[in-house]
Amino acid sequence: MQEHRYAIVDVCYPQSPVGFIREQSNVVVRQFLRLRRPFVAYITDAMGNELYRVCRPFWWITSSIYAEVDGKEVGVVHQRWHLWKRVYDLYVGNKQFAVVENPGFWFWTFTLKDINGEVLAEIDRAWRGFGFELFTDAGQYVIRFGSSDPFLMTGCARKIRELKVVRPLTLSERAVALALAVSLDNDYFSRHGDWGIPFAVGGD
């Protein structure tokens, strides 16, 4: 199993990455623990400058992943055990701001909702065909932060499927949402480790 690498792109300009996510983990631990391995993933801009990092410790029943800026924890995603649903709780500091309750195996859309059930963001794992999905790990993820005012969407952003959100996420909340995307890939979709491409789509 290899260390994971991801390119972060603007969906309007997919040929020019705006950042990267690079995992760092122990090669021996990776082979034995595989998807349950501990790792640190560094989120950088296109020039390789670190913006923040996410840290995921070893897990057995449910996973957690932490977002850190300059060594200080700013948020965390905790997986909650459920017999068939994929449930995640998202926090900034000690305050929970979102929950994800994915219905199960065949549903590849993960919607972040607040305590009132209002939509905050959405993560889709883009389907690209049986052959591609079965024999590679190069999955694509679309992160939609949406807009609380659709009239603010201009240019090629208008071509993106509209996601109406109750409010825009803060930068810290968006960092935790990206950490969730990394966790989802490792919890359910990764097998060998390779390059993946999570599309980051900005809103307000």
Side-chain angles (χ1 to χ4, degrees):
M1 188 171 204
Q2 304 173 21
E3 291 178 326
H4 286 76
R5 301 286 187 271
Y6 309 86
I8 304 173
V9 303
D10 186 323
V11 71
C12 294
Y13 309 99
Q15 289 77 27
S16 302
V18 297
F20 298 96
I21 304 174
R22 302 177 185 273
E23 176 190 336
Q24 186 176 87
S25 57
N26 181 278
V27 61
V28 176
V29 173
R30 279 201 312 277
Q31 307 317 311
F32 281 97
L33 297 181
R34 302 188 69 78
L35 301 184
R36 289 180 169 79
R37 70 195 181 283
F39 66 82
V40 177
Y42 298 88
I43 291 84
T44 69
D45 62 20
M47 303 300 293
N49 301 305
E50 183 181 328
L51 302 175
Y52 71 103
R53 65 185 63 176
V54 296
C55 304
R56 197 162 97 144
F58 165 78
W59 61 279
W60 184 247
I61 303 298
T62 57
S63 66
S64 294
I65 193 165
Y66 301 83
E68 297 181 355
V69 177
D70 296 327
K72 180 180 179 181
E73 180 186 319
V74 296
V76 61
V77 179
H78 293 302
Q79 183 184 28
R80 198 189 326 153
W81 187 88
H82 192 280
L83 187 59
W84 67 87
K85 289 184 180 180
R86 297 162 170 177
V87 184
Y88 290 85
D89 298 311
L90 289 77
Y91 295 82
V92 167
N94 295 321
K95 182 179 180 181
Q96 183 174 358
F97 71 91
V99 63
V100 171
E101 294 187 355
N102 178 278
F105 182 77
W106 294 109
F107 295 86
W108 286 12
T109 298
F110 298 81
T111 303
L112 283 67
K113 296 183 179 181
D114 66 13
I115 191 172
N116 297 315
E118 301 287 351
V119 174
L120 296 172
E122 186 178 87
I123 300 172
D124 282 339
R125 188 176 196 273
W127 170 256
R128 296 196 291 169
F130 272 108
F132 205 90
E133 299 296 339
L134 288 177
F135 299 111
T136 79
D137 278 336
Q140 292 184 348
Y141 295 83
V142 181
I143 304 177
R144 295 184 176 91
F145 292 119
S147 176
S148 55
D149 184 354
F151 293 103
L152 294 177
M153 298 181 69
T154 60
C156 62
R158 289 190 175 274
K159 300 178 183 179
I160 303 167
R161 180 174 66 82
E162 178 184 338
L163 178 68
K164 177 72 172 178
V165 297
V166 66
R167 67 171 179 84
L169 296 182
T170 67
L171 286 178
S172 294
E173 290 170 341
R174 292 184 185 214
V176 176
L178 184 55
L180 171 62
V182 173
S183 192
L184 291 173
D185 185 46
N186 281 271
D187 285 344
Y188 303 114
F189 303 112
S190 295
R191 292 176 297 279
H192 309 296
D194 207 331
W195 277 90
I197 308 176
F199 286 144
V201 180
D204 290 339

